[in-house]
Amino acid sequence: MKTSQGDVFRRRENLIERLQQKEQLTVKELATLFNVSAVTIRRDLLFLEKKKMIERFYGGVKLIQKPLSRQRISQEQASFPVTAFVDALTVFLPTQAQIFVGAGLFSTEIIQALAFLDISILTNDAAALTIEHPQKKALISICGGELERESHALVGDLATHSFHKVQADLCIIEASGFNAHEVTTKNLSESFIYRTMLQHTKGPKIVYTSAANLETVSQFMIDRTFLFDKLYTDATISPTILSQYQAKGIPIDVLID
């Protein structure tokens, strides 16, 4: 039976976890552990090596230990002007628009604010199931899938299939890393879901993130920066970074609550 993309992502994420638990492992040990061939494991290791997440040596592999990054700290302390962001989005939202919203730190709050509009929302944010209020007009649908560890994001083949079946008028994705070249996220499985959302969006593709995440890079690329129609961030953005982005023609909107 052909291995699905979701299976590949889960194996690679589990491989990283195993290396976090054990200082080093051999290709043979990993192949036995995951019940795949040594060739498949070497393909996984090559992918992770390109991401600078592992170090290979003769007969084995170990995780590259990284210090606590600025990005991780900023996400734990992050804030974002959700009200101003949703106000800015209304120009992209005709009545009964179909939109995708990717799960993130602020996605539930964003969906809550969008729920007052006459639109349809498809999201992989499992926490959106709890959204309910008397003035709710939006039809909020949750894709199926598996719940990502330490997250409220739904991932996997079922989640991917849900977005394959729909064409959206607008796509909204939160990045955990952003620079002039690429938009990134922390999780491999999530990166695939977000690329699927982008591929099935016929209208604007929006990325947002806290200014603290600008000019940082997470492990996995969602897509190239030029494929997004606009970046939204908060007013703590460095004037230098703002000038650089404007000079490079990156459409950016600085939000103030």
Side-chain angles (χ1 to χ4, degrees), residues 194-212:
Y194 302 148
R195 280 199 298 276
T196 303
M197 290 182 185
L198 293 169
Q199 291 164 3
H200 290 267
T201 299
K202 58 188 176 182
K205 302 170 180 68
I206 303 299
V207 59
Y208 69 97
T209 191
S210 167

Side-chain angles (χ1 to χ4, degrees), residues 122-142:
L122 179 59
T123 181
N124 70 323
D125 180 356
L129 279 169
T130 64
I131 294 174
E132 194 59 66
H133 50 72
Q135 295 176 306
K136 173 183 168 185
K137 293 182 180 178
L139 173 64
I140 302 173
S141 302
I142 314 296

